[in-house]
Amino acid sequence: RVGFVGTGIMGAAMARNLAKAGYSVTAWNRTRSKATVLENDGIRVADSLSDVARDAAVIITMVTDTPDVIDVVEGPEGLTAAMASGATLIDMSTISPKATKELAGRLAARGIAMLDAPVSGGSWGAQQGTLAIMVGGDPEVFETCKPVFEAMGQKITLVGSNGMGQLTKLVNQVLVAGTAATVAEALVFAAAHGANLSQTIEAVAGGASGSWQLANLGPRMVQGDFAPGFMVKLQQKDLRLVIESAQDKNVPLAVTSIARELFTDLESRGMGEEGTQAIIKSIEKRAGIEARQSVPSNNDAEK
Ligand code: NAP
């Protein structure tokens, strides 16, 4: 029995994969309509968080930010009110490593084990069950929960104690933000010289510059497909968490800071809910060219 809290872009797909793997899943979402669509997949929709917590050996949270996790777990009508001692909470949202460690300590005092298990791989990885999952927590609890993770992901790594899963996810976000900015910059540079961007991506993707960002977001940038995926505003939330953690240790983050500025430019122009591939629009603005229109997009070619 698995309880699932937060059936947004990521959570809905992850809950579906748990049900597909044979788990009895009860889901709750603040906006109920986003949970009821899962009933066709054999998922029961709960009326309250305590309804989710009752009888569930494992409860997964997949909400937005640190205060949201604290609210659904420890709020006045939160999960802990009904969670049985001996149950495990797995938080798969991306939140603060420090707050995670503190929350795990408070839950342990109530006999509730916690794993922080943020993910990478985008909504496509969530749908296909191929997420990378980075886990912090007790090794025995991790082993017990491994089959649950295997229903949602492929590369599942225990990286240390509570908080280290979140810290590793922030490392991932440093890599992802800088790479997205570089992919966009490279495409604008290529476009300025009249290169065919689809061919350019194909030519370089198999070499030393190949990356998930180039292979998955590059074509979307070229086609002008800015649907999320991973929203700009969520990446900004993650980069705020990165910068807070960097300041704790006085680590300079030059490249990440530039990527953050580019995303801030998008947010200030009302594009916070677009996918992170929209970063190319910020680079285009600075370069004074529209890379997307310099070659026929796939859609144009079909017309
Ligand atoms: P999303 O579609 O916006 O979903 C967020 C979910 O959290 C929604 O179900 C929302 O409920 C719920 N929520 C937020 N605040 C809440 C609160 N205070 N109380 C109760 N429920 C609350 O976002 P997402 O893309 O699925 O992202 C979820 C998490 O995964 C985030 O931490 C994100 O950083 C991380 N992540 C996302 C991706 C990606 O590619 N999208 C990849 C890796 C990690 P409502 O429906 O009522 O708003």
Side-chain angles (χ1 to χ4, degrees):
R1 282 180 168 275
V2 177
F4 205 105
V5 174
T7 54
I9 291 181
M10 296 295 284
M14 292 157 73
R16 274 197 187 100
N17 282 333
L18 285 166
K20 222 184 279 172
Y23 288 98
S24 165
V25 181
T26 299
W28 179 87
N29 195 64
R30 182 177 57 182
T31 308
R32 193 181 164 87
S33 57
K34 287 193 208 161
T36 48
V37 292
L38 299 173
E39 282 173 336
N40 291 339
D41 301 279
I43 293 172
R44 186 174 82 81
V45 177
D47 291 326
S48 63
L49 287 165
S50 45
D51 188 13
V52 174
R54 218 170 290 124
D55 300 333
V58 169
I59 298 169
I60 296 172
T61 48
M62 190 56 170
V63 294
T64 308
D65 203 348
T66 312
D68 307 312
V69 172
I70 302 294
D71 197 32
V72 296
V73 176
E74 299 185 299
E77 292 172 13
L79 292 165
T80 45
M83 265 181 98
S85 171
T88 301
L89 177 84
I90 305 178
D91 177 37
M92 304 189 78
S93 334
T94 304
I95 69 164
S96 154
K98 209 168 162 184
T100 293
K101 205 174 164 184
E102 291 163 3
L103 174 62
R106 292 195 297 276
L107 292 179
R110 305 174 74 130
I112 297 168
M114 177 177 169
L115 297 172
D116 44 304
V119 304
S120 179
S123 55
W124 307 284
Q127 284 156 19
Q128 284 152 26
T130 56
L131 292 169
I133 308 179
M134 27 223 119
V135 189
D138 179 84
E140 270 181 38
V141 179
F142 171 71
E143 283 306 323
T144 311
C145 294
K146 214 166 173 190
V148 174
F149 291 131
E150 282 165 351
M152 298 178 282
Q154 251 168 10
K155 182 74 185 162
I156 299 145
T157 316
L158 179 68
V159 290
S161 57
N162 281 124
M164 289 311 290
Q166 293 295 354
L167 196 276
T168 307
K169 168 69 185 186
L170 297 186
V171 172
N172 184 78
Q173 296 313 82
V174 169
L175 289 162
V176 157
T179 310
T182 307
V183 167
E185 186 168 278
L187 291 177
V188 170
F189 169 68
H193 289 277
N196 177 311
L197 298 188
S198 298
Q199 282 172 357
T200 303
I201 292 172
E202 198 182 329
V204 301
S209 66
S211 69
W212 189 100
Q213 296 286 309
L214 179 65
N216 290 281
L217 298 190
R220 287 182 167 80
M221 290 179 188
V222 174
Q223 289 155 21
D225 172 4
F226 300 118
F230 184 47
M231 285 183 240
V232 167
K233 69 177 186 187
L234 288 182
Q235 177 63 292
Q236 287 292 72
K237 179 259 300 178
D238 290 356
L239 294 181
R240 170 180 52 77
L241 295 170
V242 165
I243 285 164
E244 281 167 12
S245 296
Q247 281 169 347
D248 283 349
K249 300 280 178 194
N250 283 327
V251 182
L253 291 172
V255 176
T256 308
S257 301
I258 291 171
R260 193 174 186 231
E261 282 297 310
L262 297 170
F263 287 123
T264 301
D265 170 49
L266 295 180
E267 274 194 312
S268 69
R269 293 192 282 142
M271 293 177 239
E273 299 200 347
E274 295 193 357
T276 51
Q277 65 274 26
I279 197 169
I280 194 165
K281 290 195 261 188
S282 189
I283 308 261
E284 284 175 333
K285 191 179 84 173
R286 290 154 69 98
I289 60 164
E290 272 216 4
R292 285 164 283 146
Q293 290 175 0
S294 67
V295 291
S297 74
N298 286 355
N299 290 342
D300 291 336
E302 278 163 23
K303 279 178 196 159

